[in-house]
Amino acid sequence: MTAAQQTTAALTDVYLSQALSEMSGSPVTPVGIPAEMVTGSALRNGVTPDVEYTRPIKEVWYQLSEGRAPVDAQAIGQQRALTMISTDLQLARTHASRIVLQRSGPSLGVVGYRRVVGSGRSCELCQIAATQRYHIADLMPIHANCSCAVAPITGSKDPGQVIDAAYLAEDAKASDVSGKFSPYYGAHLLEVREHGELGPVLTVRGQGFRGPADIPPAAETAA
């Protein structure tokens, strides 16, 4: 996982440096991000991979204790592991993006960044969030299996919070064909909450995270 996170961060560094080069009209050299800033516990508020990746195993044990068939318990544990891997790579991308924009952006007139939705079926939470401007000091909010990237915004003045008012005003359907988020369409129902381990996370307004007092002793529900 460490090598994959380093590779993700390095590719993000090259991508953003190239984007800044095209925007500024002059070459921008990748900043070269130290591995310790974009791998392991640096991305999960001190939680180390050896602790983190015991969770899928504990999930299997918990599902078995609840009477799940072994094959089903294993499938649930496997899915949790895959989601964690996806999240860890996305965290490497978002942290690398912030580092690059903070180091290279100010001298090139970068006034913020926009969210670029991932290819394929992007959820409507991400589509709504993509209409908003983010400051370069802000870590891009994510969610489980998020694949969004970052694109710099340059200019001589602050573009404001909403950078795509036309789309935000449109009564669009979710690109997720399940329509899962369709009832929640609208920025007023989008909320960013601070997860104690992952940092900023996209949620539907009113959703939250359970604390230690809400978790039964036999279960572990950390992301």
Side-chain angles (χ1 to χ4, degrees):
M1 176 52 65
T2 298
Q5 288 176 321
Q6 284 183 264
T7 300
T8 298
L11 290 173
T12 301
D13 188 4
V14 171
Y15 153 68
L16 285 174
S17 297
Q18 181 61 35
L20 290 170
S21 296
E22 294 178 1
M23 289 178 170
S24 65
S26 59
V28 176
T29 304
V31 301
I33 305 171
E36 61 270 19
M37 297 181 69
V38 287
T39 58
S41 61
L43 306 180
R44 282 184 174 262
N45 198 24
V47 177
T48 58
D50 59 320
V51 171
E52 176 192 352
Y53 281 94
T54 62
R55 293 170 181 168
I57 300 171
K58 292 179 180 179
E59 183 68 46
V60 173
W61 293 344
Y62 173 68
Q63 295 299 330
L64 290 172
S65 74
E66 291 291 295
R68 293 268 189 181
V71 65
D72 294 332
Q74 182 179 2
I76 293 171
Q78 181 181 44
Q79 184 56 52
R80 182 165 186 181
L82 291 173
T83 298
M84 289 167 57
I85 291 169
S86 172
T87 297
D88 280 339
L89 294 178
Q90 182 66 345
L91 286 171
R93 176 187 285 178
T94 58
H95 281 252
S97 297
R98 181 171 64 176
I99 292 168
V100 173
L101 292 181
Q102 284 187 310
R103 292 187 180 181
S104 298
S107 63
L108 298 173
V110 174
V111 294
Y113 70 87
R114 69 176 70 227
R115 186 186 200 94
V116 180
V117 295
S119 59
R121 297 192 308 168
S122 57
C123 77
E124 194 161 346
L125 286 178
C126 287
Q127 291 190 45
I128 296 169
T131 68
Q132 307 296 301
R133 185 278 313 267
Y134 295 89
H135 292 283
I136 60 175
D138 296 334
L139 196 64
M140 186 180 75
I142 64 171
H143 61 81
N145 298 311
C146 182
S147 61
C148 292
V150 162
I153 300 174
T154 59
S156 59
K157 64 178 183 179
D158 191 323
Q161 179 62 33
V162 178
I163 56 176
D164 193 347
Y167 181 82
L168 188 59
E170 181 185 352
D171 186 18
K173 294 180 180 179
S175 64
D176 182 340
V177 294
S178 70
K180 180 178 179 182
F181 295 110
S182 296
Y184 306 116
Y185 188 81
H188 63 289
L189 288 173
L190 180 68
E191 188 169 22
V192 176
R193 298 182 67 88
E194 191 70 18
H195 188 284
E197 185 173 315
L198 305 178
V201 174
L202 283 179
T203 68
V204 174
R205 188 174 297 279
Q207 292 181 346
F209 306 109
R210 290 188 292 176
D214 303 314
I215 303 174
E220 183 189 14
T221 58

